[in-house]
Each structure stands twice: as structure tokens, then as C-alpha cells.
Amino acid sequence: MSEDCIFCRIVDGDIPSRSVYEDETVMAFLDANPLAPGHTLVIPKAHHETLADLPEDTGARVFEVLHQLAPEIEAAVDADASNVAFNNGEAAGQEVPHVHGHVIPRFEGDGGAPVHAIAGDRPDLSDEELDEIADEIAGRS
Ligand code: 5GP
Ligand code: ZN
């Protein structure tokens, strides 16, 4: 628990929320400033700032709940699809430093965009650079 974390305070019940799911490890509630009806946040109850900070089993539970809730949320608001995304770190737009997955219901013709719209200028990478990056990620270099 972090005293000055909004989401820890929601977990503790100090700040009210529209809860839609809760178990020992994970909680989900409606976003206070929804991008679409049904916009939901899925969080670990324990305070961890980014995905890299999450213990593996907690991360697995967060994903299990996202997997369960996404279709239920879509059905509840009659959505056609959803975007499921994490702003993972401040430079990626994360404002609340407590891991949270967004489930944003999407509707045909809603004027929104795919997740590809979130990045800045696209890099022009050579085949060699792509090979190097893949090797670096895979630990082959
Ligand atoms: P981020 O930009 O960190 O990925 O998203 C934080 C989200 O938390 C935003 O979509 C914002 O609307 C939501 N949010 C911020 N404060 C509160 C709050 O007190 N209650 C709820 N339910 N959502 C909040
Ligand atoms: Zn927190």
C-alpha cells in the first residue's frame, strides 16, 4: 500500500469506485473519465508501478481477469470489440503509477483508432537493425 497512490486508496475503500470485479489479488473498476461506456481498469491490489515490477504470478492473475472480463464488458455495453492496453511507464503516458490494464470497449464507426496510433514518428529500420534488435531482446547477442 502506498499512502499517496489513488489506486491503493481505491483498493482500501478510502476512495469510492464502481467496482466490477474483486478477488484476493486483483480488482477491476470503471474508469472515472471513460473513453467509452464500460471503460474499465484492471489492477493488482498490491502496489507495483510497472509491469516489470509485478511478480510473475500476480501478472498472470491480472491477465486472467482481463481475459475473463473483456468479453463480459463488451457484452454489458453491447460493444463490437475492445482495446486492452497498458500505459507501461511515464514516457508511455502512464499517469497513475500503479499497474493497470485498460479495457476500452469499441464500436463500429466510433471514430477511434487502433493501438498503432499511440506511437510517435515511425522509425525506418534496416534488416540488420531489425536482426540486432531481435537478437538483443532474445538474449542472443
Ligand atoms: P493512465 O494514463 O495512468 O494509464 O490512466 C489512468 C486512468 O485512471 C485514467 O484513465 C483516469 O481516468 C483514471 N483515474 C484517475 N483517477 C481515478 C479515480 O480516482 N478513480 C477512477 N475510477 N479512475 C481514475
Ligand atoms: Zn498503488
Side-chain angles (χ1 to χ4, degrees), residues 30-88:
L30 295 187
D31 193 295
N33 299 290
L35 297 174
H39 182 174
T40 299
L41 303 174
V42 178
I43 70 168
K45 284 184 165 177
H47 184 84
H48 301 286
E49 194 163 330
T50 67
L51 286 174
D53 301 322
L54 268 188
E56 192 175 331
D57 54 348
T58 307
R61 270 307 293 151
V62 169
F63 188 80
E64 281 171 358
V65 174
L66 282 165
H67 177 262
Q68 178 192 320
L69 285 185
E72 293 176 0
I73 293 164
E74 287 180 26
V77 297
D78 234 356
D80 300 305
S82 59
N83 291 109
V84 178
F86 290 78
N87 292 325
N88 191 33

Side-chain angles (χ1 to χ4, degrees), residues 112-124:
V115 80
H116 291 71
I118 61 181
D121 297 333
R122 289 196 185 199
D124 187 15

Side-chain angles (χ1 to χ4, degrees), residues 2 5 7-8 46-48 97-98:
S2 168
C5 171
F7 289 174
C8 283
H47 184 84
H48 301 286
H98 180 135

Side-chain angles (χ1 to χ4, degrees), residues 6-7 10 15-18 29-35 39 41 86-87 93-97 100 102:
I6 297 171
F7 289 174
I10 285 177
I15 295 179
S17 70
R18 291 186 173 85
F29 50 87
L30 295 187
D31 193 295
N33 299 290
L35 297 174
H39 182 174
L41 303 174
F86 290 78
N87 292 325
Q94 184 178 359
E95 290 185 355
V96 178
H100 50 282
H102 293 259

Side-chain angles (χ1 to χ4, degrees), residues 132-141:
E132 272 173 36
I133 293 167
D135 286 344
E136 189 68 41
I137 294 170
R140 290 186 292 258
S141 53

